[in-house]
Structure formats: structure tokens, C-alpha cells
Amino acid sequence: FVPVGRWNHSSGLNMYRPVHFFDGTTKIPDLNLHRPFDYFDCKDGRKKTDETGKTIDLEKPKWGAGNIDADYFCDEYLDCDDMSDEPYDCVPSFKILFIVYGIITGLLILFTILVFVPFTILFGFIIPRRRVRASSPLFLLIIIVSGVVGYGSTYAWYGKPQSVACGFQPWLLGLAIVSMNSALIAKTFRIWRVFRSPFTVKVISNVELIVLWIILVAPVLLILFLWTLVSTPTAKLEEHDGLEHLVCGPGGFTDSIVAGYVWFFLLVGYQGLVMLFGIILTFAIRNVPSKFNEGKLIAISVRLIHLLSILLF
């Protein structure tokens, strides 16, 4: 030790040379030491290290977050606004998945709009063809529009969860599925009514079928309205695998995952009842002439649509 002063009872502390610390200066060292740690900078899109252990303040992965824990990198959750925490070299890569499926979905939407819609309008209304007319062109258009909305609903799942997108997810997909199924069932219902008594002439107008379609769709509108009102789907922080992530979940008055499951099973349960009704109708028209009988195609479509809805939800 190098003496720098002296203390006694009479004069107290007497400093006769400045204090020099281990760095060779008189600057008081920082005794508040922390261990260095790694973090991910969402703005720069790369991992960094805070050597002091206290310069960087880690943030929760909410919207607008800048510096998050390094463990969020490639953890199969989107935590940065620009998805930079899940780059192309992560496995799986969300960016690649979104690009591939987004392009495929967009092409399907364009093909449906540019091919099926003009075909149905042309041969269903302008230059009527018997086969197209027998398939109810108005309801073919409803099915096409429902399909386009269903395709487009997948975009609500892309990117970091956001409250607006979370709210649209059940509405877009739920309405698209029930609308398509209800249109298929309405077409089948007309065939069943016409051929139920082959010796009696019946005319089932499109207005009657539209009423049936509305009746089938209305319960889903009510379920989705109450779901949004009571347990509003929103983006919220939840802990998964030891880290908090922004995910879509129930909010509103209930703010409970149980309430979310209740509304989900109500929606899927009603879709199941609609599917059962469609299966019964397709069985009832099994002996109808093949020109009008679309029972097998409708049955396959209804089952695939419900399977898809369960998987997506």
C-alpha cells in the first residue's frame, strides 16, 4: 500500500497526496458491478452483448420493444415487430413460411376471382348453360366469395400477434366456413324439396333459399358477436417455455383462457350441427338423377371444410 494521508485524534484526517486507484487515476471506480449478458436488438436485427451488465434495459416483447433477451432469438415465437428475431436461418423460418404460403394463397385468390367468378356469371346468367343453372349460380357465387374470404383469413395469422388481427381471426374464418357450408346445404335442400315428391311440381325460389342461408349463418354471427363482446380476442403477454410472448388470447370482461375455449367449442359445435344437417340431406338425395345429385361432392366438401376449420382454430 502507498500511504496517502494520516489520521489522529487531534487533527483528524490529513491527506498529503491524491488517491490513485488501480487504473492509475484519481477517478473513483464503479463498485456497482454486474455480469455481462447477451441481448437481441430488434432495431438492428442482431445479437449484442452488454459488457457492463447494466447499460441496456431489457424490455418485454410488446409492440415497439427494442432490446429483448437473447433467448427470444429463434425460439419459434415472433417477438420483434419486424420478425428479425426469427431470421431465414432459423428452423422453422416464419419468414419463409409466410412468403411461400402468402404467395400460394394470393395465387389461389386471384385464380378464384379471375376464373370462377367470370365463368359462373357468364354461363349462369349471361349465356345460361343447363348444367351451371342446375347448380344454382347465385349460390355458386356465394360459395366462391366465401372461399375467397376463407383464403384471405389466413393472412390474419401472419406476423407478430396484434389485437386487431386477433379479433379478425374468428370472424373471417368462422363466417367463411359457415357461409360456404350453408350455401352447399341450401343447394342440397332445394334438390331434396323438388324430388321429395316426384309427381308434384314445386318451385323453390332463390329468395327462399337465401332465407335458409341467413337462418344457418345467423347463429354464428351471434356467437362471434358475443365472443367479441364478452371475451374479446386480443394480443396479450403469456408465459411459454419460461419466456413471455405476445400471443392471441381472450380478453374483455372474462380475460380467461377457459372462456376462450367455451366460445371456440360453441362455434365448432354449431358447425358440427350444420355439418350433420348437410350429411342427412345428402343421404336423402342419394337416388336423385346424377345431373342434379351433387351429394357426394357436397359431403366431401363439408367434411373437408370442417376438418380445416378445426385445424386452423
Side-chain angles (χ1 to χ4, degrees):
F1 295 96
V2 178
V4 295
R6 182 175 296 174
W7 182 89
N8 56 47
H9 289 284
S10 59
S11 61
L13 179 64
N14 180 26
M15 301 290 295
Y16 50 79
R17 70 168 57 180
V19 177
H20 288 77
F21 295 97
F22 291 104
D23 60 355
T25 68
T26 58
K27 181 181 179 181
I28 299 176
D30 184 4
L31 301 180
N32 184 22
L33 302 178
H34 293 77
R35 290 185 177 181
F37 64 86
D38 295 328
Y39 66 97
F40 187 83
D41 190 336
C42 289
K43 296 180 180 178
D44 289 346
R46 57 192 179 95
K47 280 186 175 182
K48 297 181 180 179
T49 301
D50 183 1
E51 299 293 347
T52 65
K54 58 184 180 180
T55 303
I56 299 298
D57 293 325
L58 295 179
E59 304 173 60
K60 293 184 178 181
K62 296 181 179 181
W63 277 92
N67 301 312
I68 58 177
D69 196 293
D71 291 337
Y72 285 109
F73 182 75
C74 284
D75 63 346
E76 300 185 12
Y77 286 90
L78 297 174
D79 300 294
C80 292
D81 298 355
D82 58 357
M83 302 186 291
S84 58
D85 59 310
E86 300 290 330
Y88 294 107
D89 53 349
C90 291
V91 179
S93 173
F94 283 100
K95 289 186 177 181
I96 294 177
L97 288 175
F98 290 157
I99 291 173
V100 172
Y101 283 101
I103 292 174
I104 293 174
T105 303
L107 291 175
L108 288 173
I109 291 175
L110 287 176
F111 181 80
T112 302
I113 294 175
L114 298 178
V115 177
F116 291 151
V117 172
F119 178 87
T120 304
I121 294 175
L122 179 63
F123 296 111
F125 300 100
I126 301 175
I127 309 175
R129 290 292 182 267
R130 185 175 300 177
R131 184 64 181 178
V132 178
R133 295 290 299 176
S135 298
S136 304
L138 175 61
F139 285 89
L140 289 177
L141 287 176
I142 293 177
I143 292 171
I144 292 170
V145 172
S146 301
V148 170
V149 174
Y151 285 140
S153 69
T154 59
Y155 289 111
W157 272 266
Y158 291 5
K160 185 176 178 178
Q162 192 177 28
S163 294
V164 175
C166 293
F168 271 113
Q169 288 174 3
W171 277 92
L172 292 176
L173 184 59
L175 285 178
I177 291 171
V178 74
S179 175
M180 184 177 292
N181 282 334
S182 300
L184 289 170
I185 289 172
K187 282 162 48 66
T188 310
F189 180 78
R190 169 184 274 168
I191 298 171
W192 173 72
R193 283 286 305 274
V194 169
F195 288 93
R196 183 178 59 170
S197 301
F199 299 105
T200 304
V201 177
K202 296 185 182 68
V203 177
I204 311 298
S205 67
N206 284 333
V207 175
E208 295 178 75
L209 296 184
I210 287 292
V211 171
L212 174 61
W213 178 78
I214 292 174
I215 291 173
L216 292 173
V217 172
V220 169
L221 285 171
L222 179 62
I223 292 172
L224 290 172
F225 173 76
L226 293 176
W227 186 350
T228 304
L229 180 66
V230 178
S231 304
T232 311
T234 186
K236 55 194 297 188
L237 287 173
E238 291 184 1
E239 185 173 329
H240 295 273
D241 301 326
L243 293 172
E244 285 188 306
H245 301 280
L246 202 62
V247 297
C248 289
F253 296 106
T254 57
D255 195 19
S256 168
I257 190 66
V258 177
Y261 281 122
V262 169
W263 293 111
F264 164 74
F265 284 113
L266 280 174
L267 184 60
V268 173
Y270 177 74
Q271 295 279 9
L273 291 177
V274 173
M275 181 181 70
L276 180 61
F277 182 40
I279 291 174
I280 293 173
L281 282 178
T282 55
F283 179 79
I285 65 170
R286 65 190 183 281
N287 296 322
V288 169
S290 59
K291 176 182 176 180
F292 302 96
N293 192 349
E294 299 174 330
K296 291 182 179 179
L297 296 176
I298 291 174
I300 294 173
S301 300
V302 169
R303 290 167 189 165
L304 288 177
I305 290 168
H306 276 86
L307 177 62
L308 177 63
S309 65
I310 292 173
L311 291 175
L312 287 177
F313 275 115

